[in-house]
Amino acid sequence: MSGVIASMRRTLLSCTAPARSGGAAVALAMWASVSPASAAETPVDSALAALFDFSRQDIIALTMAVAVLGFSVVAAILLMRTRLRAAACETRLRGNIQTLQVEADRFRALLFAESQVLIAWAAGDSRPQISGDVSLLIPQAGLAADQSVQSQRILAFGTWMPPEPALKMDHAVDALLESGEGFQLNLVTSTGRSIEAVGRAVGGQAIVRMRELSGLRRELAEMTQRHKTLQEETEMLRDFAAAAPWPIWTRRDAGELNFANAAYARATEAGSVAEAIERNLELLESNDRTALSRALNDNANFSARLPIVVRGERRIYDVHAMKVRGGSAGAAIDASEAYALGAALVRMAEAHRRTLDQLSSGVAVFDEQHRLAFYNDSYRRLWDLDRAFLDSNPDDSSVLDRLRAARKLPEQPNFREWKMRLHEAYRAVDPAKDVWYLPDGRAVSIVTTPNPEGGVTYLFDDVTESLELARRFDGLINVQRETLDNLAEAVAVFGSNGCARLFNPPFARMWNLSPEALQLQPHIETVVDWCRPLFDDPAIWQTLRGAITGIENRIAIPLKLERRDGSVLNCMTMPLPDGATMLTFQDITDTENVERALRERNEALETADQMKVDFVHHVSYELRSPLTTIIGFAHFLSDPSTGPLTEKQEEYLSYITTSTNALLAIINNILDLATIDAGAMTLNLGQVDIRKAIADAIEGIQDRLARDHIVLEVNAAPDVGHFIADERRVVQVLYNLLANAVGFSPQHAAITLSAKRTEQTVVFTVTDTGPGIPPDVKEKVFDWFESRSNGSRHRGAGLGLSLVRSFVELHGGNVRIDSVVGKGTTLTCSFPIDQSQQRNAAE
């Protein structure tokens, strides 16, 4: 406790020091708070102890007084110190202000040593502070002008700058004020001064400095601008080259690839541009690369159209390469489509030329230099010009002069003026037509057509014959008009509107019409009303109206009109190309009467013919019965069992047998033809062995072949096979063909029988070397009882070939006869292989 008291004492002593007099009361108050029992035995301690003997209230009052006194002393001390510090600070600040003022003056002098203008916007302030030489920008403005007026005039950039730089400056200042984005622009004023505008955000202010560029700085600014422009162009060109769809590349002098675009990488089948450059891929083939290198080594540009295989497809490219600083550059432009179009254009031009060469019209094409670019052969023949002269591409005037010298042009009093008028086609827009009447009597039509690409195309046509035809046509029209007027038939032409356009006098007389009324071109309805007294059939008149006024299905319609007066008219409606319809009426009353009589006579003749056929059929049948009896008794008499016969009897009996057999064959043929003609004959179809049928037919004429010493040659392949037919009738056909050939062949002649098989038919051919058949009787040989010897030994009833054609056609085949008078005849019969298919097709 004594230590604490000692500490307090020291504190009190320190507070009572002269320099700290204000703290004595505080020290005493602190001392009073210490217990008196703990004081040491010193005088001071005794005094303190005496102090503590006061009452507590007095101590509190004393303490507060001491505290107030101490606070006042301390406040006074602090105030004095503060005033001393403030005076010292003021002195220091005044010195700093003087120093800053000096530095500001020095900086201002340095800043405005050259002509420039500063515009500053404080943070949050929209009114700028402008300093500097304002006359740099606005020559009429002075330094004494109002600040607001200066700012308005300077910030109105469009008043002292062209529109484009003024707009750039507006955008740059707006960006600086809104987002603090700096800028640097080189501009030109309306007076032609070059200035530099720099904008920065400095110390919470937006500052724009504008100064004039001159001397080295101006050159540097222009160089910077050029560099920027070149850099932008370079980047633009590089981006364009990279994105171009054509392969583009550059190479160093050593040949290494140092730039390529994506199209080059795709064309060389590289995965990327980097891979193409790294692998130094080549686009061209070795021979093309050699030609390109040779051209570049000679400092010449290389241009060629080359084939390049891209992704397995061969395409055509226009390759261009040139020598540049440090290497070479090239590009390949896809010209496949242009190449194809060019080839197509060449083909089209050639086809056009070939087509023009085939024209009968003379064609000459002169280019914009008035020189002959093309001509066809018709042009050369029309004017009889030398081909060498035309191939030398003469000009238009030279061609005309040569034609004039040869007197092949129309005679002109002023040839020069006439030629100038002709050459106006080179400056014309529309084609022009004319007709030249030449001294040799020809008329030539000329059409001059200006070409879109320049020049003129001449079309020449010899219209001499056309004009002559036109004259003849006019004459024919007149003749036709006169012919119609003098025809016995009534003719009237009605237009597509149904009105009468043309009529002849017989038409008016036939229908008792007035020519003057018809001249008024009445409608068909009116004409019908006029004609009803003579003929009143609504259906026929409706048909005529429909034929005249109809638009579709315009066809010729024949009609027959029986009028009330007993006359009969043939009417025909004929549609004409121009939409009109011609009506013709012919009085056939007499013809109808004659036709009626002829029809009745024809019916009588047909009845008589049928009676004849019935008679022949009946007589043939009646003759067959007794003839069969005669043949039977003749065979009976020739039988040895009936008794011996004398030589003369045997000869007579042989004659009887031969004659009766021939008569029986004729009767059988007549019956067969009558049966076929009546449609009552049926075929017994079956498999027919072709070679066997030929053998059976030959067997029937062996005696005649031996008698006349005729050689029969058979041409039939061993595998000719079978076909479906009536075997009996086939043998009968072959027999009749051979019998006919033997009958018309001289002795010691040769006959050929051929049989061949095709895919659908079996063809039999019999050829003889007889006298032949004249053309006028060739078709008659197949008629009944048509027998002509034609100078041969042949005699017969004329039924054999009729039977041949009837039997063959009954099988569905056909017969053809080929004959040359004096050289022989060939008869060809074709049978279908399958009769069932033939019958189904017929059904």
Side-chain angles (χ1 to χ4, degrees), residues 461-521:
D461 283 298
D462 190 344
V463 295
T464 307
E465 185 176 357
S466 300
L467 295 178
E468 180 63 25
L469 289 175
R471 287 192 292 270
R472 292 183 182 179
F473 177 77
D474 292 338
L476 288 175
I477 289 296
N478 295 329
V479 171
Q480 183 183 29
R481 184 178 295 106
E482 292 296 327
T483 302
L484 288 177
D485 290 344
N486 292 278
L487 282 177
E489 291 83 0
V491 178
V493 177
F494 289 84
S496 57
N497 58 354
C499 296
R501 287 168 43 185
L502 178 68
F503 66 94
N504 63 350
F507 177 78
R509 290 194 299 269
M510 181 176 289
W511 292 100
N512 296 330
L513 301 177
S514 169
E516 292 77 10
L518 292 175
Q519 290 288 350
L520 299 177
Q521 297 185 351

Side-chain angles (χ1 to χ4, degrees), residues 729-810:
R729 301 305 181 186
V730 172
V731 173
Q732 193 173 354
V733 166
L734 296 177
Y735 171 79
N736 285 332
L737 290 175
L738 292 173
N740 185 76
V742 170
F744 281 98
S745 297
Q747 292 184 350
H748 306 284
I751 298 174
T752 302
L753 170 61
S754 301
K756 64 178 181 179
R757 187 187 191 93
T758 65
E759 184 177 352
Q760 300 291 338
T761 61
V762 174
V763 181
F764 295 99
T765 303
V766 176
T767 303
D768 62 54
T769 56
I773 302 174
D776 57 335
V777 299
K778 186 180 293 185
E779 291 300 327
K780 295 181 179 180
V781 298
F782 295 106
D783 295 340
W784 288 22
F785 305 110
E786 185 68 29
S787 178
R788 297 173 183 267
S789 61
N790 294 331
S792 66
R793 298 175 294 103
H794 177 72
R795 298 293 184 273
L799 298 175
L801 292 183
S802 299
L803 277 173
V804 167
R805 185 169 70 174
S806 297
F807 285 145
V808 172
E809 291 179 351
L810 194 62

Side-chain angles (χ1 to χ4, degrees), residues 615-672:
F615 172 76
V616 171
H617 184 273
H618 179 73
V619 170
S620 299
Y621 184 79
E622 293 297 330
L623 289 175
R624 190 174 185 180
S625 178
L627 187 60
T628 303
T629 303
I630 296 173
I631 293 173
F633 279 109
H635 281 291
F636 177 73
L637 291 175
S638 63
D639 192 344
S641 62
T642 60
L645 297 174
T646 64
E647 182 178 355
K648 202 66 173 177
Q649 290 174 336
E650 289 181 354
E651 181 181 357
Y652 291 157
L653 188 60
S654 174
Y655 289 156
I656 293 172
T657 303
T658 302
S659 298
T660 54
N661 287 334
L663 183 58
L664 181 61
I666 292 172
I667 293 173
N668 288 334
N669 289 340
I670 292 174
L671 290 175
D672 287 341

Side-chain angles (χ1 to χ4, degrees), residues 253-333:
D253 286 333
E256 296 88 358
L257 188 68
N258 65 339
F259 172 78
N261 62 353
Y264 186 94
R266 289 193 300 270
T268 56
E269 299 184 0
S272 63
V273 174
E275 181 183 351
I277 296 175
E278 181 180 356
R279 294 171 54 188
N280 197 27
L281 296 178
E282 294 285 353
L283 181 67
L284 305 180
E285 299 294 335
S286 58
N287 294 335
D288 299 332
R289 291 200 304 271
T290 302
L292 187 147
S293 299
R294 186 182 302 113
L296 295 180
N297 290 336
D298 295 339
N299 291 325
N301 294 337
F302 177 82
S303 295
R305 177 164 287 181
L306 304 173
I308 300 176
V309 178
V310 178
R311 295 185 177 181
E313 181 183 0
R314 183 178 181 272
R315 301 186 66 82
I316 304 298
Y317 281 82
D318 283 336
V319 180
H320 304 277
M322 62 187 68
K323 193 78 172 177
V324 297
R325 184 180 302 173
S328 62
I333 300 175

